[in-house]
Amino acid sequence: MSSKSTNEDDLLTSHNYDGIQEYDNPMPGWWTFIFITTVVWAVVYFVGINMDFLPEYEDDLRVEMAIQKELDERAVKELPPVNADMLAEALANSDTVLNGASVFATNCAACHGAQGQGTIGPNLTDNAWLTGDGELENLHTVVASGTANGMPGWAAILSQDDLVAVVAFVKSIRGTSPPNPKAAEGAEAGANKDG
């Protein structure tokens, strides 16, 4: 028992702070390895960045953004063009109209009201249209491109599926009677057509 006490006494450092002493335990080997590795990496990184051996963040970002842009452009080219048949099929599909209602509530209701009754934007439930004639292809053009009187174009923000769905929803609420509708603005649909 006295030999154990002697060995512990040998491990004590000579430092003494207010009667407190510490053991002279070496750092674990893995801590030492990690410390040496980080110091070596810091030197390599510093030299690599300053001597242009390693790419900088901005360079990596520029490359990745170019790749993403190319992928986005390719995806847009592979999309089928929106036409009257696609829009009519979307209008006939209740799931698509339901998705359009969700997209409308998120993006359009602030200006057109929760039920399309109009607030700062026009009433979408009546038969009058400020732009176009309310037909599906014209509605898609207005939603995608926006209008000169303040409505933004949504083609850059919404996916093609969401654009088609919201057009189907807007067409589906035409002729409904929401509470407190905004007064009709624009020309009656079909008013300028012959016969």
Side-chain angles (χ1 to χ4, degrees):
M1 188 148 168
S2 62
S3 64
K4 183 176 179 184
S5 172
T6 304
N7 288 340
E8 287 179 358
D9 289 341
D10 291 342
L11 293 175
L12 284 174
T13 63
S14 60
H15 307 147
N16 186 338
Y17 300 101
D18 294 332
I20 300 172
Q21 287 182 286
E22 61 184 355
Y23 286 107
D24 187 17
N25 289 330
M27 283 181 51
W30 63 274
W31 277 19
T32 305
F33 173 76
I34 289 175
F35 175 73
I36 291 170
T37 303
T38 56
V39 170
V40 170
W41 172 247
V43 171
V44 169
Y45 186 78
F46 179 79
V47 171
I49 288 292
N50 289 308
M51 302 292 285
D52 291 330
F53 295 136
L54 296 174
E56 292 187 12
Y57 171 76
E58 289 81 11
D59 297 333
D60 283 343
L61 182 62
R62 198 174 306 110
V63 169
E64 292 301 321
M65 291 297 287
I67 291 170
Q68 186 62 49
K69 182 178 179 182
E70 181 182 327
L71 290 173
D72 290 345
E73 288 172 355
R74 189 180 315 152
V76 168
K77 286 178 185 174
E78 292 173 1
L79 287 174
V82 176
N83 57 34
D85 292 337
M86 178 190 287
L87 294 167
E89 186 178 314
L91 181 59
N93 185 323
S94 60
D95 290 337
T96 302
V97 173
L98 189 61
N99 178 46
S102 174
V103 174
F104 183 90
T106 303
N107 299 289
C108 312
C111 294
H112 293 288
Q115 298 172 5
Q117 73 273 20
T119 55
I120 61 172
N123 182 348
L124 301 176
T125 63
D126 60 24
N127 201 31
W129 299 94
L130 287 171
T131 306
D133 58 6
E135 295 304 315
L136 285 168
E137 287 182 287
N138 292 328
L139 279 174
H140 182 268
T141 300
V142 169
V143 173
S145 303
T147 64
N149 61 354
M151 180 176 148
W154 291 93
I157 300 166
L158 299 176
S159 68
Q160 179 175 299
D161 288 344
D162 285 347
L163 279 172
V164 168
V166 81
V167 167
F169 173 73
V170 168
K171 186 70 170 181
S172 75
I173 62 173
R174 183 176 176 184
T176 59
S177 300
N180 303 318
K182 188 174 181 181
E185 301 174 90
E188 285 284 319
N192 296 330
K193 292 184 179 178
D194 294 329

